[in-house]
Amino acid sequence: MARKRKILIVEDQEINRIILCNILEQDYDLLQAVNGLEGLNLLRSCKEDISLILLDLTMPVMDGYHATAAIRDLESKNSKHSHTVIIGMSANAFKEDVDKALACGMDDYITKPIDIKKLQNLLRKFCKP
């Protein structure tokens, strides 16, 4: 049996992590973090490749924008970490919010509450199980 792809969920709201886990746990191995700094540390310490990161934009300690910048910096300095797909998540749906997320290095953006079909389409695009 093929190994499941690994997804890192970085989300400070427990209910949102639970919902995402319920949607994804059957097809993916999941790691969870409650802020960007914890997510960055998980990425650094993970022995296996993380295929995709679902990253909330507004969190305490380190938000999604700063976490993305730190991840991209890590990737540029360390050959162990190739480009990791980052999908930003936020309740903000304005074009400016999407543009800001993409400009800081995220690969895509999804609004909350999460539309399951859109999430599945993004996963098919970036991270096949």
Side-chain angles (χ1 to χ4, degrees), residues 8-76:
L8 171 57
I9 299 168
V10 185
E11 166 66 63
D12 63 320
Q13 298 296 316
E14 181 179 21
I15 188 66
N16 292 337
R17 287 193 313 274
I18 290 169
I19 290 167
L20 286 166
C21 286
N22 286 338
I23 295 168
L24 301 171
E25 66 189 354
Q26 191 167 356
D27 295 319
Y28 300 92
D29 283 334
L30 304 175
L31 295 171
Q32 299 179 52
V34 298
N35 62 61
L37 183 59
E38 190 177 302
L40 178 63
N41 289 335
L42 273 172
L43 180 66
R44 282 183 180 140
S45 66
C46 191
K47 303 274 188 255
E48 299 172 27
D49 284 341
I50 292 175
S51 300
L52 185 136
I53 301 172
L54 292 170
L55 183 61
D56 185 26
L57 299 182
T58 309
M59 296 175 288
V61 182
M62 181 185 278
D63 67 21
Y65 301 108
H66 289 95
T68 298
I71 291 166
R72 296 302 182 226
D73 186 56
L74 174 68
E75 291 169 344
S76 72

Side-chain angles (χ1 to χ4, degrees), residues 1-2 9 21 23 33 46-47 75 79 102 104 107 112 118:
M1 186 162 119
I9 299 168
C21 286
I23 295 168
C46 191
K47 303 274 188 255
E75 291 169 344
S79 61
L102 298 176
C104 82
D107 296 281
K112 296 185 215 173
K118 181 169 184 185

